[in-house]
Each structure stands twice: as C-alpha cells, then as structure tokens.
Amino acid sequence: MGVGMDTRKQLITLLASNKNTYVSGQKLSDELNISRAAIWKHMKALEEDGYKIEAVTRKGYRIVQAPDEMSENTIQWGLETTWLGQHLIFEKTLDSTQITAQKLALDGAVNGTVVVADEQVKGRGRLQREWHSKQNVGIWMSMILRPKIEPYRAPQLTLLTAVAITRMLKNICNLDAKIKWPNDIYIQDKKLAGVLTEMQAEQDQISFVIIGIGINVNHDSKDLPSELQSKATSLKLVTNQSWQRETLIQELWKQIEIVYEIFRNEGFSPIKKEWEQSAYKLGEAIHVTTGKTQWKAELLGIHDDGALLVKDEKGETKRLYSAEIDWKRTVQKNANTYETAENETK
C-alpha cells in the first residue's frame, strides 16, 4: 500500500469514528500530520471513489454516504474490529482468496490479515470442489490466523467460524441458520455458505491457519448453476431483498473476534454448546456409510475434537471423523441398498 493510500485509510478511519459529527480540517491535519490542502485533495479523491462528503465551514467534514461498489475503503469504513481485517487486501478479481492468503501467510502476514475478492475465478471448497464465486453478488474471503493452540485443535476453528456466521445472520438478517457438519451453513434445507480451513504446522506448533468463507448474498436463481439450484440458496432468495455486503462482512468479523476471544479465554466448551444449538438435523436420523457398511444413526452433536457424534442402532455412541453421510430422506430399496437424495463425503 502506498503512502497516499495509507493516509487515505487513516482519514477514513478518523471520519468513521466520528460518524455523527463533523471533524475539522485542522484536527484531521494534526492527526495525520499533513497540510489542510492535502486533506482537501484526499477528500476529492474519496469523492471520485464514490463517497458523498459534506463539508461545512467552521465545522469540518463528514462522510454521509459510502459508494455502492465494494472496495477496501468501503469495507473498512465503520469497521469495529480490533485486529481482524485491520490488515486488508481487496481485489476485484482473484483466482482464489485462499491461494492469495497462503502466499501472504508464508511471507509473514500478521494474524488477522484478510483477503477479500469481489470475484473468484478458481474458487474452491472442501475436497477441491468448485465454488461458484460470481462478481458483485457474494462474499468471498480468507483470513489468516496464527493461533497458539495444538494442531489437533485446528478443526475447532472451523466450528467457531460457523458459529460466528450464524450470529451474523441472526443479528443482521434475523435468520436462524443451521450448521451442517463440518463446514456448511444451511437455510431452508439449502446451502447458503461454506467454510474451508487449511493449516500449516510443524510437529506440535501451528504456523498459520487459513479460513476461507464463501457466502451467497445477492444471487438470483439465474446466478446459480442449474445443477445447484435445488441445493443452494442466497440471502436475497431467502429474504426477497438485497443486502449490503460490507455490512455483513463487518458484522461477521466482529462476531468472529468475539467468538475467538471466548475460545481463547474459556476453551471450546461454550463454542461447542452454541454450535449444537444450531446443528443441522440434531436429534434426527441420518444414514452413514463407513467402508462398505451402511447404517442408520441419530445425530447427537459434536465432540471437543470436532468429530461428529452419532448413536447407532445398538444405542452406542460413535465418533465420525470421515464418513459418507446422507443428510436427507432415504428410501430403502432392499436390505443393503439405499436411494439417496444427497451424499457428501466428509
């Protein structure tokens, strides 16, 4: 980031912290250690970016409206986090935010650095599945964390991120979303969002964790591939209204910070409890395939290590780390074969 852009970011931060009042040119000049003329030039540059700025003699400046187009400035305008997203890389188009974040992490990017793209052309989910990341309609991001926890606890970060997403959806959209183990967010039995966690570690120490998040926001039906229209949805399709992505991002990052601090201070137990309160199909029957064996189970919740807890037909509790699960209704065709509505390999 150049000197000019860094100054402009500080300027936006100052104005954002005084949303309802005017900030004098002199105060901005003193805070940023630049001339009043330079302040005026930065204001003009912000107006060219689409900001609507009100300037009143003897009162100062106030931003009254941010541009419609998402950018680094619009995301950080009004951002209330302490560390998450304070270092932000925004690009109109990327192959994958996950790939970019990995490169930045290897180069020493600090904890809380976030990569956001308006569009991904090679977005991916778990098991290298393609993630359709159309421009201007979704949230596509990857955050870099450097947690001081043992590598075996890394799956807990996926689970706490899912909890933060459900909190954001409740607070902003008044929606009660469900979490489908291990990494999907569902509304009305359709996928709305996904979380992808990747880690680099040495022996008993984590170097960094990259958590990718994709959320379908303002997609119309035509924006979703035909093969996914029966399986996926968006906030717009669910609520019949469009949403400002920056508002969702800011609240999400705020909730991730809150949940992450709970995790650091109190451990995983309170996160586990909240996750289970939103668990998809909790207490319901699912069908599990492990190896060549198919069996019916009841979903009980999750273990502290992130494994799925189920009760088999004998009443025994099992931990599932990897299995093929049919989450939807099944029709028994014979003693050993089931016709499944949807299978996903976990």
Side-chain angles (χ1 to χ4, degrees):
M1 181 182 292
V3 175
M5 286 300 296
D6 188 56
T7 300
R8 199 165 304 157
K9 176 182 173 182
Q10 294 177 53
L11 177 60
I12 290 173
T13 301
L14 281 170
L15 292 170
S17 64
N18 296 274
K19 277 185 178 181
N20 300 318
T21 59
Y22 294 91
V23 184
S24 70
Q26 188 60 54
K27 180 178 180 179
L28 293 172
S29 177
D30 293 342
E31 291 280 350
L32 300 177
N33 196 28
I34 58 177
S35 68
R36 297 280 292 273
I39 293 291
W40 183 84
K41 288 181 179 178
H42 280 295
M43 291 297 181
K44 290 300 179 184
L46 288 175
E47 287 180 333
E48 291 175 2
D49 285 344
Y51 284 88
K52 185 177 180 181
I53 297 173
E54 198 174 70
V56 177
T57 304
R58 290 190 293 276
K59 285 189 175 181
Y61 299 95
R62 181 167 71 101
I63 293 180
V64 295
Q65 184 176 327
D68 292 334
E69 191 169 320
M70 190 163 69
S71 68
E72 179 179 333
N73 287 338
T74 63
I75 294 173
Q76 292 195 319
W77 163 250
L79 182 63
E80 298 178 355
T81 59
T82 302
W83 52 268
L84 185 59
Q86 294 299 320
H87 294 269
L88 170 63
I89 291 84
F90 174 84
E91 297 290 347
K92 291 296 294 181
T93 301
L94 283 175
D95 283 351
S96 162
T97 60
Q98 204 77 350
I99 293 172
T100 300
Q102 287 174 348
K103 292 177 181 178
L104 290 169
L106 289 169
D107 287 340
V110 299
N111 179 68
T113 298
V114 186
V115 179
V116 178
D118 201 24
E119 175 188 39
Q120 294 182 115
V121 295
K122 295 181 181 178
R124 57 189 172 88
R126 291 183 70 250
L127 307 177
Q128 299 301 314
R129 295 189 181 105
E130 182 181 4
W131 183 280
H132 297 270
S133 313
K134 186 177 178 181
Q135 191 173 33
N136 298 326
V137 295
I139 293 173
W140 326 120
M141 55 168 278
S142 297
M143 57 186 183
I144 300 170
L145 300 179
R146 298 185 182 277
K148 295 181 180 179
I149 60 174
E150 299 85 350
Y152 76 86
R153 296 181 64 196
Q156 296 174 343
L157 300 176
T158 301
L159 303 172
L160 73 82
T161 300
V163 167
I165 295 173
T166 62
R167 284 185 170 206
M168 178 273 288
L169 293 171
K170 180 64 176 179
N171 291 348
I172 301 297
C173 309
N174 197 29
L175 292 172
D176 290 317
K178 297 298 182 182
I179 307 172
K180 183 165 78 66
W181 180 83
N183 67 325
D184 291 338
I185 307 298
Y186 266 48
I187 290 182
Q188 298 174 355
D189 277 332
K190 291 185 177 181
K191 183 173 178 177
L192 177 80
V195 181
L196 174 64
T197 302
E198 298 175 308
M199 174 182 67
Q200 178 160 311
E202 296 180 5
Q203 296 178 344
D204 60 348
Q205 184 175 355
I206 292 176
S207 176
F208 59 81
V209 175
I210 309 293
I211 300 181
I213 300 172
I215 306 175
N216 296 335
V217 180
N218 291 323
H219 296 65
D220 292 313
S221 293
K222 60 180 174 57
D223 297 321
L224 297 170
S226 58
E227 68 272 15
L228 295 181
Q229 289 183 9
S230 64
K231 300 178 181 179
T233 190
S234 73
L235 288 178
K236 184 177 181 181
L237 290 171
V238 171
T239 64
N240 295 313
Q241 70 178 84
S242 296
W243 296 87
Q244 185 181 50
R245 290 176 292 163
E246 292 92 334
T247 301
L248 300 173
I249 289 171
Q250 290 170 355
E251 179 65 17
L252 174 57
W253 292 356
K254 178 181 176 181
Q255 292 304 321
I256 290 174
E257 273 200 1
I258 292 171
V259 176
Y260 191 74
E261 289 306 307
I262 293 172
F263 174 68
R264 288 180 58 192
N265 297 327
E266 302 178 39
F268 185 63
S269 180
I271 309 302
K272 176 180 181 291
K273 181 179 179 181
E274 190 169 346
W275 191 100
E276 290 177 335
Q277 289 172 345
S278 297
Y280 183 68
K281 300 291 186 181
L282 184 69
E284 297 184 29
I286 58 175
H287 282 80
V288 180
T289 300
T290 50
K292 295 182 179 181
T293 304
Q294 297 183 355
W295 46 285
K296 186 178 179 180
E298 178 188 344
L299 199 155
L300 301 177
I302 52 172
H303 190 267
D304 285 347
D305 60 6
L308 192 68
L309 292 178
V310 299
K311 182 167 65 176
D312 67 15
E313 293 174 292
K314 296 179 180 179
E316 297 179 359
T317 299
K318 304 285 187 182
R319 291 189 207 175
L320 298 181
Y321 295 94
S322 178
E324 187 173 320
I325 299 175
D326 176 13
W327 293 91
K328 296 187 177 180
R329 290 183 180 180
T330 60
V331 179
Q332 188 169 350
K333 298 175 70 176
N334 56 50
N336 300 310
T337 306
Y338 292 89
E339 183 179 320
T340 60
E342 177 187 9
N343 283 329
E344 290 191 7
T345 302
K346 300 303 181 191

